[in-house]
Amino acid sequence: VEIEWEIINHRKIKIIINRTKNVISKSKLAHWAINHYIGCTHACLYCYAKYMCKIKPYGRWGSWVEIKINAPIYLKNRILPGIGALSSIVSDPYQPIEKRYELTRRVLEALDKRNTFWILTKSDLVLRDMDLLKEYRNVEVGITLNSFEKRIKKIFEPYAPDYEKRINTLQELRRNGIKNFCFISPIIPELTDVESLILETKDFVDGYWFEFLNLKGAGKRFREVLSRISYRSMEKLKSGSLLRKEIEDIVKKYGIRCEGIILHQ
Ligand code: SF4
């Protein structure tokens, strides 16, 4: 393991360069996941992956990234069974460090192009790899989207690309014939306007996932901040079946394709 330091978004970030063979993991969301990065400098306040700081004691969530630098070597020409996820839960595959290391790009280059998987990101950097995405027949790219107003976004997702960039990314994916989906998450009643997101995106999005905030996974600090911003949001998040019904009604109203509604109660 080697340690380097990078300045990302005016912050000093610890980079842990690991040469492990261990790049394919189990996932609750797919048959397999390739986690070539662990850690994410988007540093979302609600991120459910911050539990990783207990396993990897490198510092606060968002202040470090572990890079499995040899991942492309171990993935060369591999065909993996079922449907997978390229980086999931523990990182964003197109976080800023990807600009320098191009590890996600090299993983896409290495894998057999017959694999079926999805990529979920908040970043327009995924557009850089359009040439490779086009070589796969069964890849879908999802963009996480929310309608947080600027002041809230600054607190919840301080270093993630802004809303306009994410919308533009969905449009570009569509223009280039790459199947896309919108991951509306984390839905926080009072703060997320699901209907307006659908109205704005339905003409260029293939499908939608809806995920309500996982209050437990978001952690104590986030719960404290949210209760200061909007106590009603906390209360509403506990009314599970009503929340599902609201989404089902919107899906019906606009005739969009719903891939799933995730509630964490
Ligand atoms: S972009 Fe995703 S993985 Fe990265 S900090 Fe935000 S929620 Fe966590």
Side-chain angles (χ1 to χ4, degrees), residues 13-14 16 38-40 53 56 58-60 62-66:
I13 302 292
K14 191 184 227 179
I16 303 103
I38 299 178
C40 182
C53 295
K56 308 263 179 189
Y58 298 125
R60 261 175 73 140
S63 72
W64 57 268
V65 185
E66 181 179 316

Side-chain angles (χ1 to χ4, degrees), residues 40-44 46-49 61 89-92 122 160:
C40 182
T41 62
H42 284 159
C44 304
Y46 54 77
C47 183
Y48 311 152
W61 183 251
I89 308 227
V90 293
S91 189
D92 183 319
K122 288 187 169 99

